Amino acid sequence: MVTDKSFIVLAGGKSTRLGYYKALGTINNKSLIQRVVSSLGFFNSDIIVVIGQGQHLPQFTNYPKLKTVTDAYTAKSPLVGIYTGLLASTSGYNFVVACDMPFLNPALLSYMLKISAGFDVVIPRLGSLVEPLHAVYSKDCLFAIEQLLRQGNYKTGRLLSLVRVRYVEVGEIDRFDPEHLSFFNINTKVDLEVARELVKKVPQPDSLRHRGDNNWSEE
């Protein structure tokens, strides 16, 4: 496994459909951001939480390796968050996740880090869809991202055409997370209610597998 690693949590979204700052939505009295940070604490690595300009989060007193940084650009875009996190990181490889992913799978995270050496991006792919907010990015992406941002291009898909990419295909994902709950993310109040039920470990029907999956994008 890559040892020179950090984790970047993007927590700067608009949360327009949920109606309030999604990072603070709760499941079993624990906020979404707390659930994500707790999952990443398993790795005992630096955690960088990226928030939008003007946003605020409670302090995380139990995680001395955690720091919070503010988006380097005013534009609300995951690519801005990725860029900001990479700038703040001292690690060569950085696993980026969204703050609204309450079911991260440590085994899948470990696997993706293990295969990341020699690539700029390691990203899950299901058919023509990729998940840029559950992916490993190397510091070598910084130059390409900066050029895109200067051009006003905020699409992560464009970055993938400029760097060395290792796609993690569905067969690999299924070895660790056959229900694909790692990619379940919260966009609406309905998603939040579904997550509250899922956390009770109710068996998952296939119809729930891709609910709340709007982080996915075309290659």
Side-chain angles (χ1 to χ4, degrees):
M1 183 190 296
V2 167
T3 56
D4 179 22
K5 66 182 185 299
S6 294
F7 291 87
I8 297 170
V9 182
L10 302 189
K14 296 180 181 179
S15 307
T16 51
R17 283 181 289 169
L18 188 60
Y20 56 88
Y21 190 19
K22 69 168 65 177
L24 302 181
T26 59
I27 298 174
N28 282 1
N29 298 316
K30 180 181 283 190
S31 70
L32 293 176
I33 186 69
Q34 286 176 316
R35 288 185 64 88
V36 169
V37 168
S38 178
S39 295
L40 300 180
F42 166 85
F43 294 91
N44 195 31
S45 298
D46 289 345
I47 300 174
I48 301 163
V49 178
V50 183
I51 60 175
Q53 295 185 13
Q55 291 179 323
H56 302 280
L57 283 175
Q59 289 188 335
F60 290 87
T61 56
N62 295 330
Y63 298 92
K65 292 188 176 183
L66 183 148
K67 65 179 176 180
T68 302
V69 298
T70 302
D71 276 334
Y73 288 76
T74 57
K76 296 290 186 181
S77 162
L79 195 59
V80 170
I82 294 168
Y83 176 75
T84 303
L86 289 176
L87 275 180
S89 175
T90 60
S91 299
Y93 292 87
N94 299 268
F95 207 121
V96 173
V97 298
C99 71
D100 62 347
M101 291 176 154
F103 304 110
L104 294 176
N105 184 306
L108 179 58
L109 297 176
S110 296
Y111 174 72
M112 291 177 62
L113 286 165
K114 181 179 180 179
I115 63 175
S116 60
F119 297 98
D120 297 315
V121 178
V122 177
I123 187 168
R125 177 166 65 179
L126 293 179
S128 63
L129 296 178
V130 295
E131 176 46 281
L133 302 189
H134 187 288
V136 181
Y137 296 82
S138 79
K139 289 274 282 189
D140 290 340
C141 290
L142 274 171
F143 178 77
I145 297 176
E146 183 171 5
Q147 297 307 304
L148 291 174
L149 296 179
R150 287 174 181 256
Q151 297 165 13
N153 190 331
Y154 301 107
K155 295 186 179 299
T156 53
R158 179 68 179 115
L159 172 66
L160 299 181
S161 68
L162 302 175
V163 297
R164 299 167 297 172
V165 181
R166 164 65 155 88
Y167 291 103
V168 183
E169 306 292 359
V170 63
E172 296 172 277
I173 296 168
D174 286 351
R175 287 166 50 193
F176 306 98
D177 184 8
E179 294 296 332
H180 301 175
L181 289 180
S182 294
F183 313 123
F184 185 106
N185 66 291
I186 309 296
N187 289 300
T188 67
K189 292 179 180 178
V190 172
D191 294 335
L192 190 57
E193 288 305 317
V194 171
R196 288 168 177 162
E197 291 301 313
L198 290 177
V199 82
K200 300 174 184 177
K201 300 184 179 179
V202 175
Q204 293 307 296
D206 288 344
S207 60
L208 291 181
R209 180 173 293 186
H210 300 300
R211 184 188 289 269
D213 61 353
N214 291 333
N215 285 342
W216 292 83
S217 59
E218 297 283 350
E219 290 180 58

